[in-house]
Amino acid sequence: MTTASALRSPFHQGQSTQRIMLSVIIALLPGLSIMGFINPFWLLQPLLAGLGAVIGEWFFIWCCTRQPAQASRTLMDSSALLAGLLLGLCLPPASPWWLAFIGGHICSMLGKQMYGGLGANPFNPAMLAYLVLLIGFPLQMSQWQGLYDGLTQATLLDQATVLSPAQWPGTHAFNQACLLALGFTLGGLYLLRLGIIHWVTPICLLLGFIIVQLYIDDFNVKASLLQIPVGGLIIGAFFMATDPVSAPNHRQDQIIYALGIGALTSLIRQGQQYPDGMAFAIVLMNIVTPSFISLKNALKHKRDIL
Amino acid sequence: MTQLYPMTGGLLLPTQRAIGLKPQALTEQPPRLVFALQQRHLRYGSVVKLGQLVFANQVIAQSIGSEPIALHTGLAGQVTSIDDHSIELRTNSNMPTHKQPIPVSMTTLKHTPLAKGLRELGLLGLGGAGFPTALKIHRIHTLLINGVECEPLLVTDASLMTYHADQIIQGLYQLLTHQDIQLRRLIIAIEADKPQAITAMRQALQIHTWSLQPELIIIPTRYPAGGERQLYQQLFGEKLPAAVKMSDQGVACLNVHTLLAINNGFNGQPLTHRLVSILGNGIAQPQQLWLPIGTPISWLLTYCGALHEPLEVRIGGPIMGQRIDQRNQSITANANTLIVDLVKPTLFEQPCIACGQCEPVCPEALAPQDLIALIQSQPQQQDQQLVEQNLPACIECGVCDLVCPSHIPLHQYFGQHKSRLKHLADQQQRAQIANATYTRRQERLAKAPKPNPKPPIEASRFTPSQPLSSKANSTTKLKTNLAKAQRLYREAQAALKQAEKKGLEPTLRKVYESKVGKMHDKVQLAQTAFDTEKGRV
């Protein structure tokens, strides 16, 4: 369907899906540049994953429609590139190159196009792809050390059994993690400034995390605060949980959603199985999201939920 | 100073009004007028015949219903075609026009009941909705004059207020002095971005001495602040529920152009012309013209010097206006603006990403993203939910369209589904009424005792209970019988005479003669019956 001419009028506010996606990519730049500053090779993973996602999306649509023009037009909204970049940021830098590339494909195909494309995916594509890789390639996905000098985000959490959080400050890895967290926070503030994301989600997510973490740490404030910059918490709070498609539509639902993600992340971090719980927490809360509407309706009209 | 309450949602748009456009009269007559009979709130039926000559200001159609609203022609001419949808008139400037304008009652508004007078003058809301004015001013305590033309580009009301403020205020003054109007409050609302209009109106207000002081309120520029429901919220501080109209609350909202037309009505002039702004990049120069209602748009485009390129014509503003087919449409009472633009490349609608930009701007506090998700999934099964989400409250202002990053024509979808829901609700209501009537009848039938067998006819005909009246009845009956027979006899005679004039075959003549004879016998029979009855009495 072609649009009404009101949309072509000069009074349209000029916002477009493509511009939103590009703004988010721009918001990632501070974090990415800090990453490149620490070690330029770390940038390979996001780039490869982004490339994989773009190719995967084009290929999927071409397979479905056999119209290269349409496939290319779909890529114009840049959502595939963005999802790929986000996935790449979460991958361990030392993992093999094909992992990021495959991850990108999974991100576009399984995470988004399988459900009907942009706007129809119930899960955050990057997080879903991350989980698929984590379960499918557990060995490669735990290669945080090795190739490159230095340690990155999840490492500290990996070593939590060896190195207690109280010993983190001052280590090289912790400083890097703080620097990266700062970069992504800057990007998040930029998105808040543009009005693309709302402050409710990141604030409530951090709040939910802190509350549960305080309880776990026996109300040791310092130990709890130390957990914030490490892992994927900041990038998740500003870039993953704020994905409008998979998050609830209304503020009060978003509060519950974000609190839930924060709490679940903290809880999963305590388990020994997986070092960082962000991806699991987000996908779990994505599963709950559709129920918010029926729950609200049920409360409003005093009906049974099902 | 009257307190003003904030409006929900809305957007501050660059209004880009071409202020300074002066209302002008046409320099030549359109060769034909086409009156659309099917309008948004009314359906008209023609009261003229094919080929009939009509004078200017003559009624040519009336709306269907118990309280008809007249439709007048602004120019004299001859009716060239009539069908269900339109009346076409070939105008003729040489035709002698009546010196006196011809409203139906030949009286001015002052001496008739207001609603009746407004119906006879054919007054409709000229702001854009075209709702009959007579239905609005029914048992009101507050009159709200709407000069808040909030959509960008529009200048019609602004220049009316600037150049014809005295006539508008005169209309208001006359309306107030009418016996049918008893007001507690009188508000004139004008948008802040029309300073010239505000000063002109203020000056005009000072001419009269008012029994009820009008409050001139300046509404901040924001789209869609001029919607009736939005004005209500800003002035009275509460939102109207979806099903409640402003007139239900005793408030009537009249556009400034309507008020000008009412002023003309008090001078005996029905609604025949309206001011139309013609804007856009598809014409040589923007203009503002007093056009007779029914002016064909194709002729108007030539008159205004439209470019010879594919054009896109909209009636109404750039956001809420309707795109029309310029070949067979004409100016109606609600056409305040004509926007003629070159055709622009189409954009593709993208899927909704639930970004939520549309929610804070919605002036009715709806959640357009939820509505569109419901509509795009399975509209038929979601009717209940659409109503629960308050879709019927949507005013189709299109603000959500303007912020949507996915270029979804949201307000078009909402408009479609709103009317569909309304249609369904109407059907349901009618079915309920029919069902209730049926069950009531069944109950009545079940309750009623078995009807008695009818008494024999002979007994019932001459009941002794009312001998006198029955006799009187029988006399009158016989009298009418006699009169009827006499009439038929005369007719038969006349037919025979005419036939004789034309020259007739003998067989046919015999038929006629026998008929005359028969009629004569009948007359005699009736006469004797009548005489005997009279004698008896």
Side-chain angles (χ1 to χ4, degrees):
Chain A
M1 186 172 171
T2 53
T3 54
S5 46
L7 299 178
R8 277 174 276 148
S9 80
F11 305 107
H12 189 261
Q13 299 296 292
Q15 191 61 278
S16 71
T17 315
Q18 188 189 14
R19 277 183 69 160
I20 290 180
M21 298 299 167
L22 287 177
S23 306
V24 180
I25 291 174
I26 289 170
L28 281 175
L29 287 181
L32 282 172
S33 45
I34 288 175
M35 230 170 156
F37 177 72
I38 295 170
N39 188 338
F41 285 102
W42 289 0
L43 289 179
L44 268 182
Q45 299 290 1
L47 292 181
L48 276 172
L51 186 71
V54 168
I55 293 173
E57 178 142 313
W58 193 92
F59 184 68
F60 192 98
I61 295 169
W62 181 77
C63 284
C64 291
T65 62
R66 300 285 162 148
Q67 285 170 350
Q70 196 184 338
S72 308
R73 202 168 57 224
T74 313
L75 287 183
M76 289 299 288
D77 63 28
S78 321
S79 63
L81 178 65
L82 174 64
L85 283 177
L86 286 173
L87 170 69
L89 284 173
C90 304
L91 292 178
S95 59
W97 66 271
W98 50 262
L99 196 69
F101 195 65
I102 290 176
H105 279 73
I106 295 173
C107 189
S108 297
M109 292 182 176
L110 195 67
K112 201 168 66 181
Q113 293 299 335
M114 286 271 283
Y115 298 105
L118 182 68
N121 47 309
F123 306 113
N124 187 322
M127 292 289 94
L128 190 80
Y130 179 82
L131 289 188
V132 170
L133 292 181
L134 192 64
I135 293 163
F137 306 92
L139 184 65
Q140 286 83 352
M141 285 296 282
S142 58
Q143 286 178 351
W144 289 97
Q145 306 127 296
L147 270 179
Y148 310 115
D149 174 41
L151 311 165
T152 187
Q153 307 162 46
T155 338
L156 290 173
L157 295 173
D158 266 340
Q159 296 182 335
T161 43
V162 190
L163 203 66
S164 80
Q167 293 167 302
W168 286 352
T171 60
H172 192 46
F174 186 74
N175 291 346
Q176 286 179 356
C178 283
L179 216 56
L180 281 173
L182 185 72
F184 289 123
T185 311
L186 278 178
L189 292 178
Y190 171 70
L191 289 183
L192 280 173
R193 175 79 186 75
L194 287 186
I196 289 173
I197 63 174
H198 196 261
W199 57 267
V200 153
T201 311
I203 295 292
C204 288
L205 196 149
L206 294 176
L207 203 67
F209 180 82
I210 281 288
I211 291 170
V212 177
Q213 194 67 35
L214 272 175
Y215 186 73
I216 289 168
D217 290 341
D218 293 331
F219 300 98
N220 183 346
V221 179
K222 196 187 167 201
S224 303
L225 288 180
L226 281 178
Q227 291 273 353
I228 287 182
V230 299
L233 193 69
I234 293 294
I235 191 172
F238 285 109
F239 293 92
M240 307 288 189
T242 51
D243 168 32
V245 178
S246 53
N249 288 349
H250 300 286
R251 295 277 172 262
Q252 58 267 51
D253 301 349
Q254 280 168 3
I255 292 173
I256 302 170
Y257 171 80
L259 284 172
I261 293 176
L264 280 173
T265 308
S266 171
L267 286 173
I268 296 169
R269 274 190 186 180
Q270 299 315 306
Q272 301 296 313
Q273 192 70 29
Y274 297 104
D276 196 3
M278 201 68 213
F280 279 108
I282 286 178
V283 170
L284 280 173
M285 287 313 284
N286 285 164
I287 294 172
V288 181
T289 299
S291 325
F292 281 122
I293 295 173
S294 50
L295 188 69
K296 206 153 62 178
N297 278 343
L299 289 176
K300 197 167 155 192
H301 302 287
K302 303 213 166 44
R303 277 200 306 246
D304 289 338
I305 290 173
L306 294 175
Chain B
M1 188 65 203
T2 322
Q3 194 195 348
L4 217 57
Y5 298 88
M7 180 181 86
T8 316
L11 270 182
L12 183 59
L13 298 174
T15 45
Q16 303 172 3
R17 295 187 206 284
I19 290 173
L21 217 55
K22 268 192 183 164
Q24 286 169 331
L26 281 176
T27 51
E28 55 179 293
Q29 258 189 16
R32 59 193 186 98
L33 294 182
V34 183
F35 295 91
L37 297 181
Q38 314 272 356
Q39 296 194 7
R40 190 158 144 202
H41 298 287
L42 290 173
R43 264 178 59 223
Y44 288 102
S46 164
V47 295
V48 288
K49 293 192 190 99
L50 196 63
Q52 188 181 335
L53 294 174
V54 290
F55 300 108
N57 297 341
Q58 189 173 335
V59 178
I60 55 162
Q62 285 199 321
S63 72
I64 294 160
S66 57
E67 297 185 330
I69 292 162
L71 177 68
H72 303 257
T73 164
L75 299 173
Q78 190 176 19
V79 181
T80 51
S81 89
I82 300 176
D83 59 29
D84 288 350
H85 302 289
S86 63
I87 299 179
E88 198 177 318
L89 214 69
R90 194 172 60 232
T91 59
N92 185 352
S93 51
N94 300 328
M95 240 172 86
T97 45
H98 269 238
K99 270 181 194 155
Q100 183 131 25
I102 322 173
V104 186
S105 57
M106 294 290 274
T107 54
T108 53
L109 259 179
K110 208 153 216 166
H111 308 296
T112 42
L114 189 59
K116 182 167 176 277
L118 291 176
R119 281 205 307 276
E120 285 174 357
L121 291 163
L123 271 172
L124 305 177
L126 300 178
F131 193 75
T133 312
L135 302 183
K136 272 189 176 176
I137 50 163
H138 180 62
R139 270 193 239 131
I140 52 164
H141 55 71
T142 301
L143 186 62
L144 172 55
I145 307 305
N146 189 352
V148 187
E149 202 175 19
C150 57
E151 222 172 324
L153 299 184
L154 302 192
V155 282
T156 314
D157 290 354
S159 54
L160 267 181
M161 285 187 285
T162 314
Y163 299 106
H164 296 286
D166 46 344
Q167 287 179 46
I168 295 169
I169 298 300
Q170 179 72 23
L172 181 62
Y173 188 74
Q174 302 219 45
L175 195 63
L176 283 190
T177 52
H178 197 279
Q179 57 194 1
D180 289 359
I181 293 277
Q182 307 290 339
L183 292 183
R184 290 209 298 268
R185 250 186 112 177
L186 175 58
I187 301 171
I188 302 172
I190 306 178
E191 205 180 15
D193 70 339
K194 298 162 187 157
Q196 291 155 318
I198 294 169
T199 41
M201 289 289 273
R202 211 168 249 152
Q203 278 171 4
L205 279 173
Q206 282 161 2
I207 297 171
H208 303 275
T209 45
W210 301 88
S211 54
L212 174 70
Q213 189 57 38
E215 304 163 42
L216 191 97
I217 294 182
I218 293 156
I219 303 281
T221 312
R222 196 169 177 81
Y223 179 75
E228 275 193 11
R229 301 166 61 84
Q230 277 56 44
L231 273 181
Y232 189 87
Q233 190 192 6
Q234 290 175 85
L235 292 170
F236 304 108
E238 55 184 70
K239 278 198 102 55
L240 286 175
V244 179
K245 272 187 257 155
M246 211 166 176
S247 49
D248 300 339
Q249 305 282 52
V251 183
C253 181
L254 295 184
N255 179 265
V256 285
H257 199 339
T258 316
L259 218 53
L260 189 88
I262 289 176
N263 184 39
N264 290 340
F266 277 107
N267 300 332
Q269 167 72 26
L271 175 66
T272 55
H273 286 63
R274 72 151 299 142
L275 188 64
V276 182
S277 322
I278 299 125
L279 312 168
N281 56 15
I283 50 162
Q285 205 182 352
Q287 295 191 51
Q288 210 164 52
L289 296 169
W290 286 102
L291 293 176
I293 287 166
T295 307
I297 284 174
S298 50
W299 176 84
L300 188 62
L301 289 180
T302 334
Y303 179 85
C304 295
L307 305 180
H308 293 285
E309 279 171 60
L311 293 175
E312 198 176 87
V313 182
R314 301 167 71 79
I315 281 191
I319 300 169
M320 287 179 84
Q322 298 285 322
R323 249 172 90 176
I324 54 153
D325 181 2
Q326 64 247 40
R327 277 164 305 188
N328 49 18
Q329 291 260 359
S330 58
I331 296 291
T332 51
N334 56 353
N336 53 8
T337 306
L338 208 67
I339 297 184
V340 186
D341 274 333
L342 299 173
V343 175
K344 284 170 247 162
T346 47
L347 278 174
F348 285 95
E349 179 187 337
Q350 284 172 317
C352 174
I353 55 165
C355 66
Q357 305 274 355
C358 44
E359 210 180 325
V361 297
C362 178
E364 288 293 324
L366 307 177
Q369 42 175 346
D370 290 353
L371 292 172
I372 199 70
L374 281 172
I375 285 170
Q376 287 184 338
S377 51
Q378 299 144 325
Q380 271 68 36
Q381 292 167 24
Q382 310 286 353
D383 287 351
Q384 177 69 28
Q385 284 202 45
L386 283 176
V387 175
E388 273 172 23
Q389 301 250 13
N390 216 2
L391 177 67
C394 173
I395 57 165
E396 296 169 52
C397 62
V399 168
C400 43
D401 289 11
L402 295 183
V403 295
C404 180
S406 299
H407 308 298
I408 305 171
L410 292 160
H411 91 279
Q412 283 186 4
Y413 280 112
F414 297 158
Q416 282 167 18
H417 285 268
K418 221 177 96 179
S419 52
R420 191 176 58 82
L421 285 179
K422 188 160 180 284
H423 184 67
L424 277 180
D426 283 354
Q427 267 185 344
Q428 222 162 25
Q429 201 183 1
R430 252 178 283 151
Q432 270 174 2
I433 291 171
N435 198 8
T437 321
Y438 176 74
T439 42
R440 250 181 284 141
R441 179 167 189 272
Q442 290 298 323
E443 281 168 13
R444 243 185 359 254
L445 287 180
K447 250 191 235 166
K450 287 260 161 70
N452 293 325
K454 274 188 181 171
I457 295 166
E458 284 80 11
S460 69
R461 191 177 274 173
F462 301 109
T463 39
S465 57
Q466 296 169 320
L468 264 177
S469 68
S470 82
K471 250 181 198 166
N473 275 346
S474 66
T475 326
T476 47
K477 205 173 174 187
L478 284 171
K479 202 174 175 182
T480 48
N481 272 352
L482 177 63
K484 194 177 166 191
Q486 277 171 342
R487 188 170 48 100
L488 287 173
Y489 175 53
R490 274 200 303 277
E491 275 175 14
Q493 271 181 331
L496 179 63
K497 249 181 205 167
Q498 216 163 26
E500 272 175 347
K501 251 187 202 169
K502 281 182 186 169
L504 207 64
E505 284 175 43
T507 44
L508 261 179
R509 193 197 165 108
K510 253 180 203 168
V511 174
Y512 273 99
E513 275 171 348
S514 71
K515 190 133 194 182
V516 171
K518 243 187 223 168
M519 286 301 143
H520 187 65
D521 292 350
K522 269 196 180 167
V523 169
Q524 275 182 343
L525 265 176
Q527 186 75 47
T528 47
F530 179 61
D531 287 346
T532 48
E533 188 67 29
K534 217 174 165 187
R536 264 196 343 167
V537 173

